[in-house]
Amino acid sequence: MNGVLHVGISGARGRMGRAVSAALDARDDVVVAARFDRGETPDLSRCDVVIDFSTPEASLELAEACAERGGPALVIGSTGFTPEQLAGIEAAAEKVAVVRSGNFSLGVNILIGLVEHAAQRLDGRDWDVEVLEAHHRRKVDAPSGTALMLGQAVANGRDVDLDAVRAAPRDGVGQPRKEGEIGFAALRAGGIIGEHSVIFASEDETVTLSHSAVDRSLFAKGAVVAAAWVRSRKPGLYDMQDVLGFRQA
């Protein structure tokens, strides 16, 4: 589909909402058709796509509203969903195209691919895995959505169920590491935008794959790329691997 892209911004007054707004305002092929937050009633008929960085509750409400009217398409960057909320997003995606991702960074999505390939080749009987992440003090969910994506990449590479091998947070004594488990550690401090590392460690050597975000605009730019891509897609639930062509949609 050609022509100007009309985008709505959900969570417009939040940190990411403001970053998305700035990214859109810098382009001449995009019109911001609506800016709104939870509790406000947007005119969705003016939008081709809505980019949503809000809360899981608000994202689900928005997805259900879009599904009920058959559009617009959605780009969802909220994290911290419960299984029930994710099921609601999946149900909405049967009627409208949705791109949902815990991270819209091109670099992070390349990292996810590298992590999966490393996990395929480094035997879980010999190589322990820890996913480390750090974010600003205002982030309320942990591990981050990106950390869980990286953990899932390890699980995919090893062909195991992440829930079955995910380690509980470590505290106290008497908790030796189990073979094949995937550990997570989270730090919340100051204004850290986003730091993620995956450590593969054997008795003899350590491999660390990592990504650092230095400007929040990179997530906004990725979300705009996703919005342009999903605009003309059939109903379905997609992610950035689809957007970037790493997976056939």
Side-chain angles (χ1 to χ4, degrees):
M1 183 181 297
N2 298 318
V4 174
L5 180 67
H6 292 77
V7 179
I9 305 174
S10 170
R13 287 190 285 275
R15 292 166 65 89
M16 275 306 304
R18 296 195 300 272
V20 169
S21 183
L24 293 172
D25 288 342
R27 298 178 55 144
D28 58 10
D29 59 342
V30 175
V31 170
V32 178
R35 291 181 172 91
F36 59 95
D37 284 276
R38 190 177 187 184
E40 300 175 348
T41 303
D43 183 358
L44 296 177
S45 66
R46 301 167 55 196
C47 305
D48 298 313
V49 184
V50 176
I51 297 176
D52 169 59
F53 284 92
S54 54
T55 66
E57 295 80 10
S59 296
L60 179 55
E61 290 177 6
L62 177 61
E64 291 173 340
C66 290
E68 183 177 350
R69 63 185 307 279
L74 273 173
V75 173
I76 298 176
S78 305
T79 59
F81 290 93
T82 65
E84 293 76 18
Q85 290 167 334
L86 288 175
I89 297 293
E90 291 174 3
E94 295 178 2
K95 298 181 179 179
V96 67
V98 178
V99 174
R100 188 184 73 82
S101 179
N103 194 303
F104 284 93
S105 160
L106 173 60
V108 161
N109 282 280
I110 290 176
L111 175 62
I112 288 169
L114 294 173
V115 166
E116 182 169 342
H117 282 293
Q120 289 173 348
R121 290 159 175 79
L122 301 177
D123 195 317
R125 293 171 294 184
D126 302 318
W127 291 81
D128 299 325
V129 179
E130 291 285 319
V131 181
L132 314 180
E133 56 101 340
H135 284 85
H136 53 84
R137 62 165 66 103
R138 291 165 294 276
K139 188 169 180 61
V140 297
D141 58 309
S144 69
T146 302
L148 292 172
M149 291 166 66
L150 291 166
Q152 186 61 58
V154 176
N156 291 346
R158 292 182 170 175
D159 195 24
V160 296
D161 179 5
L162 177 59
D163 290 336
V165 297
R166 177 176 169 179
R170 296 185 177 85
D171 185 34
V173 296
Q175 300 182 46
R177 184 183 184 91
K178 298 177 182 178
E179 182 181 287
E181 73 179 7
I182 301 173
F184 290 84
L187 181 152
R188 298 289 177 265
I192 300 171
I193 294 176
E195 306 281 339
H196 294 88
S197 297
V198 180
I199 299 174
F200 293 86
S202 72
E203 293 285 357
D204 308 303
E205 56 187 327
T206 300
V207 176
T208 302
L209 302 172
S210 63
H211 176 272
S212 297
V214 297
D215 191 310
R216 199 172 303 277
S217 66
L218 70 91
F219 306 118
K221 292 174 182 176
V224 174
V225 170
W229 181 89
V230 79
R231 173 190 199 181
S232 58
R233 299 292 159 173
K234 296 179 180 179
L237 185 60
Y238 305 96
D239 62 21
M240 282 300 285
Q241 300 293 302
D242 297 305
V243 174
L244 296 173
F246 297 148
R247 181 190 303 123
Q248 291 298 320

